[in-house]
Amino acid sequence: MFFSVTMSLDGCIAPEYMQLGQPTEKWLDQWMELQKYVFQQRFFRQNLKLGDGGETGRDNRIVEETFNRTGASIMGKRMFEGGEHNWPEEAPFHTSVFVLTHEVRQPWERPGGTTFHFVNDGIESALRQAREAAGQRDVRIAGGADVIRQYLNAGLVDEFSLAVSPVLFGAGLRLFDGIDPRGIALEIAEAINSPLVTHLNYAVHRK
Amino acid sequence: MFFSVTMSLDGCIAPEYMQLGQPTEKWLDQWMELQKYVFQQRFFRQNLKLGDGGETGRDNRIVEETFNRTGASIMGKRMFEGGEHNWPEEAPFHTSVFVLTHEVRQPWERPGGTTFHFVNDGIESALRQAREAAGQRDVRIAGGADVIRQYLNAGLVDEFSLAVSPVLFGAGLRLFDGIDPRGIALEIAEAINSPLVTHLNYAVHRK
């Protein structure tokens, strides 16, 4: 089980969390700066139906490989609610997605093979269901930071990849806030140089 | 002018700041885990008189190159006070070092070519003096985080290198806390893969 997110050099995966739930212009500017490299990748553009074109180099291959290895995703309720109205009708997952929520809701099937399942009984149950749905492929935690933290602290993450963007936020939603480092030992798997973003891959062991 | 520091993957360069100024055992454990790779490098061990042996690979060359390009260093008062009693008599700088402080004090000359100068009139004055002392070589901000932040926010840093250790602190002294990101544009220079630490080099431009 793995996660793969874009992070600022000072450890943020989003600008300061919005209390009112509505992105401001500044929020969007910062977020777009963070995610700039991925919007330039051909695979990402096609998958989100943003149009043709885009880079086809190593960054693009990494984005595509991350998609291809993923047999099912897990996400938090806020990430789902953020995407529910913004993803295209053919949502960009094309697999089962397990949403951690208190809401009781029937599975929501989208064209193109994405089905959202709403899980009410915790992270281990979501992981079990996701593993079964993923078959031979891997389970990805899509986000957000609090869901990643819960799985890390529970010792359930095997690997993760950070795409470190060359931006500083100063303040924001930190990926590793609330991590309990006493149980986590990281091993560097690879660092991949690119002009737009730096890919850092780690294996996670228990201490 | 550049800085080069070791950072945890979650952006810390030291455990939580000690109010009483005395390192606890836990503080030292975390700090040693962060700095583990450098204590294994031959050049670092020789320069701090920690004994023979040590790695002689790429990490060691990077540590040595950082030393060789440095013609003068700038540091904050707390870093100086932390090192004053812990560096060997032959302090590991072997150049002029400019200490930002309110204390009025005569230059302190150590065997081996290190002279500490105490600067009372601000960061630009310290930089001017350090540039003059450095000659053809570069000026390094040795630390700590608050001094680095002041130079970054003033637009005076040209480049920096982070040695990112594969450790998470969860909480601690963050390198980029208090940075004003609106004036800072980063450009990736290089990412260097190593089993012990990841070297990330950036050029800094004004936005």
Side-chain angles (χ1 to χ4, degrees):
Chain A
M1 212 255 293
F2 77 105
F3 65 87
S4 173
V5 297
T6 304
M7 186 176 91
S8 72
L9 185 55
D10 53 350
C12 298
I13 61 168
E16 209 79 71
Y17 182 66
M18 302 160 287
Q19 287 304 325
L20 301 175
Q22 288 303 316
T24 62
E25 202 171 309
K26 179 169 171 278
W27 196 98
L28 276 174
D29 283 354
Q30 277 198 295
W31 192 80
M32 284 303 292
E33 203 186 345
L34 181 69
Q35 300 287 349
K36 194 163 74 177
Y37 93 96
V38 82
F39 279 91
Q40 299 180 30
Q41 306 308 316
R42 187 189 188 92
F43 180 84
F44 182 85
R45 297 183 62 77
Q46 290 180 336
N47 196 32
L48 266 183
K49 308 207 175 299
L50 299 173
D52 287 336
E55 308 273 341
T56 56
R58 187 153 194 190
D59 290 335
N60 188 59
R61 280 204 304 282
I62 290 171
V63 174
E64 188 165 3
E65 281 162 15
T66 301
F67 177 86
N68 286 336
R69 73 183 276 200
T70 303
S73 291
I74 297 172
M75 70 177 61
K77 166 183 125 85
R78 279 207 295 266
M79 183 173 180
F80 172 73
E81 286 172 353
E84 188 174 4
H85 306 293
N86 290 315
W87 290 314
E89 201 190 352
E90 195 174 304
F93 302 97
H94 308 288
T95 62
S96 287
V97 177
F98 296 86
V99 181
L100 291 159
T101 177
H102 293 293
E103 191 191 351
V104 177
R105 180 171 164 180
Q106 288 304 304
W108 188 42
E109 205 171 315
R110 309 304 297 146
T114 302
T115 301
F116 294 96
H117 301 269
F118 302 89
V119 180
N120 309 131
D121 54 351
I123 63 170
E124 303 206 6
S125 168
L127 179 55
R128 252 193 323 273
Q129 296 178 57
R131 281 208 171 115
E132 198 166 321
Q136 297 298 307
R137 289 187 291 165
D138 213 338
V139 173
R140 175 182 181 177
I141 316 172
D146 58 336
V147 175
I148 289 171
R149 173 179 50 75
Q150 288 176 56
Y151 279 104
L152 269 175
N153 283 345
L156 295 170
V157 176
D158 304 308
E159 296 169 24
F160 64 84
S161 300
L162 305 176
V164 180
S165 284
V167 300
L168 296 173
F169 274 17
L173 184 63
R174 294 184 193 280
L175 174 58
F176 293 112
D177 237 17
I179 283 296
D180 179 359
R182 290 169 301 181
I184 300 168
L186 301 182
E187 181 193 344
I188 298 175
E190 200 177 9
I192 299 170
N193 200 9
S194 148
L196 297 174
V197 77
T198 309
H199 304 275
L200 304 182
N201 300 332
Y202 294 89
V204 186
H205 306 290
R206 291 190 191 226
K207 236 188 226 172
Chain B
M1 211 255 293
F2 77 105
F3 66 86
S4 174
V5 296
T6 303
M7 186 176 91
S8 71
L9 185 56
D10 54 349
C12 298
I13 61 167
E16 208 80 69
Y17 182 66
M18 301 162 286
Q19 287 304 325
L20 301 176
Q22 288 303 317
T24 61
E25 203 171 307
K26 178 168 171 276
W27 196 99
L28 276 174
D29 282 354
Q30 276 199 296
W31 192 81
M32 284 303 293
E33 202 186 344
L34 180 70
Q35 300 287 347
K36 194 164 74 177
Y37 93 97
V38 82
F39 278 92
Q40 299 179 29
Q41 306 309 316
R42 187 190 189 93
F43 181 85
F44 182 85
R45 297 183 60 78
Q46 290 180 336
N47 196 32
L48 265 184
K49 308 205 175 300
L50 299 174
D52 287 338
E55 308 273 339
T56 59
R58 188 153 193 190
D59 290 334
N60 187 60
R61 281 204 303 282
I62 290 172
V63 174
E64 187 165 5
E65 280 162 18
T66 301
F67 176 86
N68 287 336
R69 73 182 277 197
T70 303
S73 292
I74 297 173
M75 70 178 61
K77 164 183 125 83
R78 277 207 295 267
M79 183 174 178
F80 172 74
E81 287 173 352
E84 189 174 4
H85 305 292
N86 290 315
W87 290 313
E89 200 189 353
E90 194 175 304
F93 303 95
H94 307 286
T95 61
S96 287
V97 177
F98 296 86
V99 180
L100 292 158
T101 177
H102 293 293
E103 190 192 353
V104 178
R105 179 170 162 180
Q106 289 302 305
W108 187 43
E109 205 172 314
R110 310 303 298 143
T114 302
T115 302
F116 294 95
H117 302 269
F118 301 90
V119 180
N120 309 131
D121 54 351
I123 63 169
E124 303 206 4
S125 167
L127 179 56
R128 252 193 324 274
Q129 296 178 57
R131 280 209 171 114
E132 198 166 319
Q136 297 298 307
R137 288 187 291 165
D138 213 338
V139 173
R140 175 181 182 177
I141 316 172
D146 58 335
V147 175
I148 290 171
R149 174 179 50 76
Q150 289 177 56
Y151 279 104
L152 269 175
N153 283 344
L156 296 170
V157 176
D158 305 307
E159 296 169 24
F160 64 84
S161 300
L162 305 176
V164 180
S165 284
V167 299
L168 297 173
F169 273 17
L173 184 64
R174 295 186 191 281
L175 174 57
F176 293 112
D177 236 17
I179 282 298
D180 180 358
R182 290 169 303 182
I184 299 169
L186 302 182
E187 181 193 345
I188 297 175
E190 199 177 9
I192 299 169
N193 200 11
S194 148
L196 296 173
V197 77
T198 308
H199 304 275
L200 304 182
N201 301 332
Y202 294 88
V204 187
H205 307 289
R206 291 191 192 224
K207 233 186 228 173

